[in-house]
Every structure is written in C-alpha cells, then in structure tokens.
Amino acid sequence: MTAESGIGASVRRKEDRRFITGNGRYTDDLNRPGQTYAFFVRSPHAHARIKRVDTTKASKMPGVVAIFTGKDVADSKVGGLICGWLIKSKDGSPHKAPPHPIIALDTVRHVGDQVAVVIGETLAQARDAAEQVQVEYEVLPAVVDPKDAAAKGAPQVHADAPGNLCYDWELGDKAATEAAFAKAHHVAKLDLVNNRLIPNAMEPRAAVAEYDFGTDSYTVWSTSQNPHVLKLLLCAFVLQVPEHKMRVIAPDVGGGFGSKIFNYPEETVCTWASRQIRRPVKWTAERSESFLTDAHGRDHVTHVELALDKAGKFLAMRVDTHANLGAYLSTFATSVPTYLYAPLLAGPYTTPQLYIEVKGVFTHTTPVDAYRGAGRPEATYLLERIVETAAREMKIDPAELRRRNFIPPDAFPYQTPVIQQYDIGNYHASLDKALEMIDYKGFPARRAQSEKKGKRRGIGFSSYIEACGIAPSAAVGALGGGVGLWESGQVRFNPTGSVTIHTGSHSHGQGHETTFAQIVADKLGVPIENIEVVHGDTDKTAFGMGTYGSRSLAVGGSAIVKACDKIVAKAKKIAAHMLEAAVEDIEHERGVFKVSGTDKSVNIAQIAFSAYVPHNYPADVEPGLDETAFYDPLNFSFPAGTHICEVEVDPDTGIVDIAKWVAVDDFGTVINPMVVEGQVHGGIAQGVGQALLETCVYDKQSGQLLTGSYMDYCMPRADDLPSFEVGMTTTPSPLNPLGVKGCGEAGAIAAPPALINAVTDALGIKHLDMPASPEKVWRAAQANRPRMAAE
Amino acid sequence: MPTVSMTVNGKTVSRDVEARTLLVQFLREHLNLTGTHVGCDTSQCGACVVHVDGRSVKSCTMLAAQANGASVTTIEGLAQGDKLHPMQEAFREHHALQCGFCTPGMIMSAIDLVKRNPNPSEETIRHELEGNICRCTGYHNIVKAVKAAAANM
C-alpha cells in the first residue's frame, strides 16, 4: 500500500475534495452570532499631519456600532506592531525602530495608512458611515524611492530615523575584496533595480475576532501563514493578553507567498475592538485595500561589480544596495535585505571574496517585507545578471563561465566567505541536464529561423542556490532573529489504527495534508486514507512556527519523522509484550513488528488497539500511542538548480514570447513529485510576472499608488505564460532525516534573471530593468537595430 | 427591499434584499453558498464566476435583481450526488489547484469554455481563461486539466 502512497509517489491531494466542490472554509466564509463589520478609514495622502478627525456625523449614521481613532487606541495603552529581527549597523548601533501604531495617531505615512475604524451592523452600513468620517489633513512632502529618500534634504518619514536610514549594514571583508579587485583582469559592472512587487494572494486578507466576556478570552480567525506566531505577537507584544486566553485559527487560506506571515494592523484592531464592543468583529480586505496594505516585496536599487581573472574565474564581488523598507517596519522587514539576501550572493560559485553594503531606507510607501523568496530572488537576480554580463564582455559562453566557477561536487560541505556552509549539491549536473533538455546546441539554428520571421531570439541562463528550510534557532538568534525556528509534529494513533497528525506548519496551497500523510504512510504503513493532517489552530496543535521560507517539509516534516521514531520505539515494547519476545528482538518495517528470525508479527493497528485497550499490556509502558516531537534543524537547506529560457522578441511590437522554459532543480528527496512540480510551475509564473509584467509604481511627487488594481498592476494570466519543462537532479540533504531541501520559492528565485538574460541576449543590449514591458522592449529594439554587426 | 427570486442549483429561492446587493453577495451571504469567492473589486480575477442561464458570468458584476427569474449554477451545484463533474475530477487528477481560492471560478469558466469549444487547443484554453487569475499554479496544470476534461465531457 505504501508503494502508491509513500515517499516518492504522486499521490492525488487529499484536500482537493473540498476545494473543487466549493466546500473550502476560508476566513470570509465564517460568520459568528452577533457579528459586526469593520471598515477602515484610510489616508488618501502619502504623508500628512492629521489635524482633526471628526466622527460626529458618521456616528449618527444608521447601523453604526462604534468608531475608533488612533487616540482611542493610544488611550487604551495598546502597543504598536513590532519588527522581530535586530540588525546592527556598521557602527554597531541597532536598527531604528520607529513606532508602528495600529491606527495612526497624528501623522499618516503612506497612502492607505489607517486613520479610523468604523464598526457597523452590516458591512454596507460601516462603509457608508466611513465616508462621513471627516479628517482634516495638512499634506506634507513625500518620498517613495529608496535612493531619493537617502539623499540629503529628502522629506523625513520618522523624526527618530535621521536621513530615513533604518540601518547601514555590511557583510564580508572589505579590504580583501578591494585587494582582489586591484588584481582583476576584467571588472563587470551593472546598475539595476529589483522592481517592487505586490504579492496578490488571491484570497484577500481577512479576520474575524471574538471576545468572550465570560471566560475573558479571545478567538481570532485570520488569514495567517503562522497562527502561533500571530498569537504570540498579539498577546505578548501588542495587546498584553495572556497567551492562554487567546486562540488563533487560520482555516483554509487562499495563498500567502509571504504576505500572510505578518502581524498587521487590521486583525489587531478587530481583536482589540471585539473587547471594546463585546461583539465579534469581521474585516475582509477589498482588493484595493490589499494593494495598499499587504506588505510589498523586493524594491532594491543596486550597483554591483564582479572581478574576474583572465581565465574567467571570479575573484571578488562588491555590492551596494538601497533597500526600500516602506513607511513602517513590518514583522520581519529588516532581515530580508540583509541576512536573507547578502549571504546568497555567493551563489553556487567559488567567489573567494564578497563585500556587500545595504542601506535600509524608510519611504512614504506601504511596508515592504518577505515575498516569495525574500531576499534570495534579489540576490540571484543580481548575481546571474552580472555573471551573464561578464560572460558577454569576456566573450565566454555563459554556460561555460558558470561551469568554471561552480563549487565542484566533491567540495562539500563548502564554507562560503559570507556565513553559509552548503551541505551538498551538484550544480554541474543540473546545468548539464538543463542544457540537454533545451537542446543548447540547436539554439543557433533556432535563432536563425526566428530571424527569418523578423523576430529576435535570445537564450537566458540562471543558476541559483537558495538557503531555506529556515532555520537553526541558534544560528538565527546569533544573526539577530527574535524567534526560534524549530517545528513541532504530533502523530496520534486512534484506537482503531487511524492517525491524526498535528503540525505547526500551515498549508495555504502547498498540500501538506497529502505530503505529510505520505511521510507517516511510508514510515508506519498506515493507509493514507486513514491519516488526517490537522494544522492552523493554536488550540489543536502544540506551538509551531508556521510556513514560509520553504521550511515546512525540511523542518515540519522532520518533526513528524521524529514523532514516528518515538511511536516505533514505544510500539516495539508493546509488540514485544504481545509476541512474548524481548524488545531487542523486535524488527520494524512499515508498520509491521516482527520477532527477528520468525514469522511471528503484529501490525501497528493491533498495537494501537492494545495501547488504548491495555488489558494485556506491559507493566512499565504507559497506555496510549500518541507522540510529539520538536525538531530544530542543524543548518539551512540549499536547493539549487539551473533554469534556461528562450524568448522570441517581436521588434515591431516589443512583445516577448517565451518559446521554451526548462527548469532543473535539486530539491533533495522528493516526497510527492506532482506537488513539487506544481510548486515549480507557480514559482516560475511569479518570477516571470516580475520580469515581464508586474511592477508597483508610486507617483514620485504625490506618493500615490498608481498600480492599485488589476487594471493597472499586470498579473500573469494564462495567455501570458507557456507550459514549462521541469526536470530534477537529486543530492539528498545529509542534514535532515528525510534528505529534503524545500521547493516553494525556487521558481520565483530562478526565473527573473533567466528571462532578462534571454531578453537582453535577443536585443543585443547590456541591460533592461524589469519588467520587460512591450514599451521598454520596443524602445530598446528600435534603438538597437539592426543587430550587432558581427551577426 | 425588493424581493429577488431565482433558481439556484435546481432549487427555487426567494429573498428580500437591498437593491444594491450583488449576485455574489446574494449567493454568499443570503444563501450561504460560500464556494463562490470574491478576489477583487474590479471584475478582473474571476473567482466569482457562476453560470447564469447556462453562461459563465462574473457574479460580482451583476446585481442579484438582474438575475431575478434566472437559473443559476454555482460550484456547489456541479456534482450529481457524490459523482463529481468531469471538470472537477480533472482538476484533482492533474493537480490544477493549490490554495483552492480561484478554483471554483476557474472550474465554472472552464466548463463554459469547453461547452463552446468541445476540443480546445492549448492556445484557446489559455486565451479563454484570461479572465480568471490564479496566483499558485502558473496555469500549467489548469491547461492540462481542461484539455483532459474536454475529452470526458
């Protein structure tokens, strides 16, 4: 039975039944008796002083239950939201952490900043009344670009962050890097922007908060990727509620991509307000609110230089980045452009010296935090663009240049000069397989054929590595992280042999209900239909850290394996008693416990029954078969691979057609290939979105969000994308019991440089900032026509 | 408040609703048919697609009153008892969903497109589904599922 449902099988997803029949239960689908509705009054200005908030007229509107302003919140001593990762500047000083109130008190700092909340009997009544809240603003100058914000004389976002600087951070050996540059044969240089993105999980954020006066406790349903962490933040840092008086439930969640990791003002306000009015409060974001308030991603402005010797060996790299943090620090904002970014600039290469400087800058824009890949896409884009540039400038084949600089497969474990020690990998194998799959040798002929049609064809490479499976708690703590990043797993046998798994990870599309069940099916021989995975409820699951950073399987899956190990250890004792044998003579394989060298055996279901009906049972063993394990990883995991894409550009329209996309990834052991391929497809689509279609635009003068709806922000649609060819190579991680690495972010990390390398190759130009929109591509094609003289 | 009556998934329903009530609000809030989702406020995402008199419609773009007297089918009305519609089966078989939020609208649009194009090419499928946004799957497996379902419908 486990052959079809265990590790390595493309088991069809257990969770799909409810989703394909309309029986999913998302937060907005839930309603509580006596429920009210919250509607937020938001700032129409990027930067303004609040002179007066007049709620007189609004409070007389039909159905208004209450209206709260920043003053009400401040008067009730509610804390501000916190950022949980301490970054120290070059001079050793801690990052600037200005207050982040859940409703603005005297100043608004981005369009959409919340100024008041109206709570009504119906949503329509709350919305109608919100229109009658009169706010008098004194509009102030705003700044939206991170380099502009860091310049002298820029409008200041926070009085206690002079120069809008949150931190000025560095990593690497500056002197050794300079010395290596002095000896370089060639230096490749690029200035580039990693464009700002808006995450756009299809389910808008939502919350339902209920305060129970009788027990003085709260229940909060929220669209969270990590309900336990949200509970900890709400209780211990913001609302000062004891943790045993709060339950947070993240039911079905419609995508996250990072944006639902964080503690936001809205669910915090709903929770606080539910106590003030002693009724449940529901809030669901309109999509326009999602655009304005979901934490955005990326937004780096960078100068990079790569030094090479005559043979094309990388000698050193230096990087200077301005990272936009937005108006306030979101929950993990500080870590993304520092520790999740700079160490990854070593990539899959042997570059001996790196020096990276990052200025984290406040602007009058929505807070910026982790978005699918978080720091690693920014690093990979930079690295793979500069490697490609160096290859072109030195006239070395781009695949060959990468090969010359890859860490060789026999060099692991490999210590990079910037923190990380890679456990295992074979980068040559992924590159070679990708070259074969795309038929690299046939490219010149395909290019010639495109040119006959008046099109320009280009090929683009991206060899990436990422650090995920985050993360060893001690390592994270040493780098400034404010939390442990272990995971919990509980394997509970029911008396008749079925199993309930409780995990602290959270699935919002990743398919844990299937893949985690496969692990237990494989280890304990339980039919997969007899296994249920429970997640997303702080009252049902031991503490957990949630899902982000491709960590669920490597960390959460490993915790489940450890719990299975405990089950087996106990089951052996029970089996020994049942079979009248010594414990050391009991062998276990996939749920069958056998006396060694005999045909006497019992199975796990029989053992479970005996454990719960212990009429004939070993005296020194507790009844029950239910084990919990907490797993703290030994290291990050390091998925890697090569993506290659071919594009055909129409110089007359600027339209980029993706002719072919090949992805070869090494995720270590794969539990469910179907699910993994799905993650790769989705990741590539988001990466292609960034490279070709999506970008968040603020007006430089007014700070208005110009891409505030699906009519202005170009989401990838079905007809923008090709089908993808996905291949795998495998080097199982030696550092976790499953040998897994994580696959959720790889596509989004690998795709953007592959696409821009292909587009610039097609156009014969050095660089084009993302997204490669038809207008930009058309202009570049017109300016650079005909193709390079040599061709 | 005006009274709105229609047939939803084969059953006649009648409710007094505010005139400004959208069809999607009528389905979700008045009939508790929460399988139809709201993913945007500009009629772009397609999470709310249902069938009105056999044609796919974005139910956030239509007032409930406009559907007065119509026959509406939602995602909850597709399966015949325990037997799933071939499109539902194909979405599961080909892993055409991840978070599941866009899925009901996607399935409703896909059924309509196959009705009009019984043997659709990949290009036709991609073009026809342009009004349904999925952020998870990259559409690769959705296209596969629609092709497979077309062969079984």
Side-chain angles (χ1 to χ4, degrees), chain A residues 197-199 205 259 262 264 293-297 330 366-371:
Chain A
L197 302 176
I198 304 178
R205 285 191 295 117
S259 69
F262 320 119
Y264 285 93
T293 64
D294 287 5
H296 293 177
S330 174
T366 300
V368 180
D369 205 326
Y371 167 62

Side-chain angles (χ1 to χ4, degrees), chain A residues 508-773:
Chain A
H508 29 282
Q510 294 89 340
H512 297 167
E513 290 170 45
T514 305
T515 47
F516 286 4
Q518 284 179 257
I519 295 171
V520 174
D522 195 87
K523 298 287 174 200
L524 301 178
V526 179
I528 195 155
E529 59 273 19
N530 290 352
I531 304 171
E532 198 71 22
V533 175
V534 173
H535 63 93
D537 184 337
T538 60
D539 266 14
K540 287 187 181 169
T541 299
F543 206 91
M545 296 309 297
T547 287
Y548 38 84
S550 306
R551 70 189 302 274
S552 298
L553 189 58
V555 190
S558 295
I560 291 168
V561 172
K562 294 281 178 194
C564 286
D565 291 346
K566 290 186 183 179
I567 291 278
V568 168
K570 182 168 180 179
K572 277 186 174 178
K573 291 182 193 167
I574 303 167
H577 181 86
M578 291 169 80
L579 297 167
E580 298 174 333
V583 174
E584 47 277 12
D585 290 338
I586 301 293
E587 292 171 356
H588 167 248
E589 197 185 348
R590 288 190 168 178
V592 177
F593 294 77
K594 198 171 126 188
V595 182
S596 169
T598 74
D599 58 359
K600 285 168 65 182
S601 70
V602 287
N603 65 38
I604 191 78
Q606 293 168 301
I607 293 169
F609 190 78
S610 179
Y612 286 103
V613 188
H615 295 166
N616 177 13
Y617 199 70
D620 56 346
V621 178
E622 288 178 23
L625 198 57
D626 181 356
E627 297 288 350
T628 299
F630 287 75
Y631 177 78
D632 202 334
L634 301 168
N635 193 355
F636 290 82
S637 59
F638 299 96
T642 292
H643 288 213
I644 308 177
C645 81
E646 271 183 45
V647 299
E648 210 176 50
V649 174
D650 185 337
D652 296 328
T653 63
I655 289 174
V656 175
D657 181 48
I658 301 171
K660 218 169 176 188
W661 197 290
V662 164
V664 179
D665 302 289
D666 177 359
F667 298 132
T669 307
V670 169
I671 306 292
N672 184 323
M674 176 192 81
V675 167
V676 167
E677 285 181 22
Q679 289 290 314
V680 173
H681 299 155
I684 296 171
Q686 280 178 339
V688 170
Q690 170 168 31
L692 212 51
L693 306 163
E694 298 176 41
T695 201
C696 168
V697 182
Y698 281 97
D699 181 79
K700 279 207 169 199
Q701 293 301 314
S702 66
Q704 290 294 327
L705 178 64
L706 301 182
T707 49
S709 81
Y710 287 145
M711 292 183 288
D712 318 292
Y713 186 89
C714 190
M715 291 281 280
R717 264 74 163 188
D719 57 355
D720 293 315
L721 296 167
S723 288
F724 311 107
E725 291 175 50
V726 178
M728 303 268 168
T729 58
T730 304
T731 59
S733 169
L735 294 177
N736 64 62
L738 287 164
V740 299
K741 299 183 181 180
C743 66
E745 296 159 298
I749 291 169
L755 196 114
I756 296 298
N757 286 341
V759 170
T760 51
D761 180 49
L763 292 170
I765 59 172
K766 183 176 178 181
H767 182 64
L768 185 83
D769 270 330
M770 300 187 286
S773 62

Side-chain angles (χ1 to χ4, degrees), chain A residues 7-88:
Chain A
I7 291 172
S10 284
V11 178
R12 299 302 181 264
R13 297 202 320 172
K14 291 165 72 70
E15 47 269 76
D16 284 357
R17 179 188 166 99
R18 65 180 186 273
F19 295 132
I20 56 179
T21 56
N23 286 288
R25 284 290 171 266
Y26 300 87
T27 301
D28 187 61
D29 301 340
L30 299 160
N31 294 297
R32 301 295 300 164
Q35 174 176 292
T36 63
Y37 295 81
F39 191 89
F40 286 87
V41 177
R42 298 186 180 278
S43 169
H45 305 294
H47 189 199
R49 207 175 329 280
I50 302 169
K51 292 174 77 176
R52 197 171 57 94
V53 183
D54 186 349
T55 60
T56 323
K57 198 171 163 200
S59 57
K60 289 179 191 143
M61 294 283 289
V64 171
V65 177
I67 301 176
F68 298 111
T69 65
K71 186 174 179 308
D72 299 315
V73 170
D75 288 349
S76 81
K77 309 266 182 266
V78 173
L81 303 181
I82 65 152
C83 176
W85 200 302
L86 175 68
I87 297 298
K88 286 187 178 165

Side-chain angles (χ1 to χ4, degrees), chain A residues 12-14 16 19-22 25-26 28-29 124 128 198-204 253-255 257 286-288 371-372 508-509 674-675 678-679 681-682 685-686 694 709-711 713 715-719 721-724, chain B residues 18 20 28 32 34-35 37-42 44-45 75-76 78-79 82 84 88-89 91-95 97-104 107 122 125-127 129-141 143:
Chain A
R12 299 302 181 264
R13 297 202 320 172
K14 291 165 72 70
D16 284 357
F19 295 132
I20 56 179
T21 56
R25 284 290 171 266
Y26 300 87
D28 187 61
D29 301 340
D128 288 346
I198 304 178
N200 277 303
M202 291 318 297
E203 180 207 21
V253 173
F257 315 111
E286 296 181 351
R287 181 56 60 182
S288 309
Y371 167 62
R372 200 171 194 167
H508 29 282
M674 176 192 81
V675 167
Q679 289 290 314
H681 299 155
Q686 280 178 339
E694 298 176 41
S709 81
Y710 287 145
M711 292 183 288
Y713 186 89
M715 291 281 280
R717 264 74 163 188
D719 57 355
L721 296 167
S723 288
F724 311 107
Chain B
E18 271 194 84
R20 60 180 164 178
R28 286 181 58 80
N32 205 28
T34 55
H37 297 149
V38 179
C40 76
D41 44 18
T42 52
Q44 305 277 306
C45 81
I75 187 75
E76 290 95 339
L78 283 183
D82 284 349
L84 297 178
Q88 291 173 309
E89 287 283 9
F91 265 60
R92 178 176 148 82
E93 178 60 26
H94 295 278
H95 187 34
L97 63 147
Q98 290 180 25
C99 81
F101 194 79
C102 77
T103 307
I107 287 176
E122 172 167 350
I125 295 168
R126 288 184 178 278
H127 180 69
L129 291 179
E130 192 261 353
N132 291 75
I133 304 177
C134 169
R135 194 55 151 169
C136 295
T137 65
Y139 306 99
H140 179 110
N141 286 341
V143 173

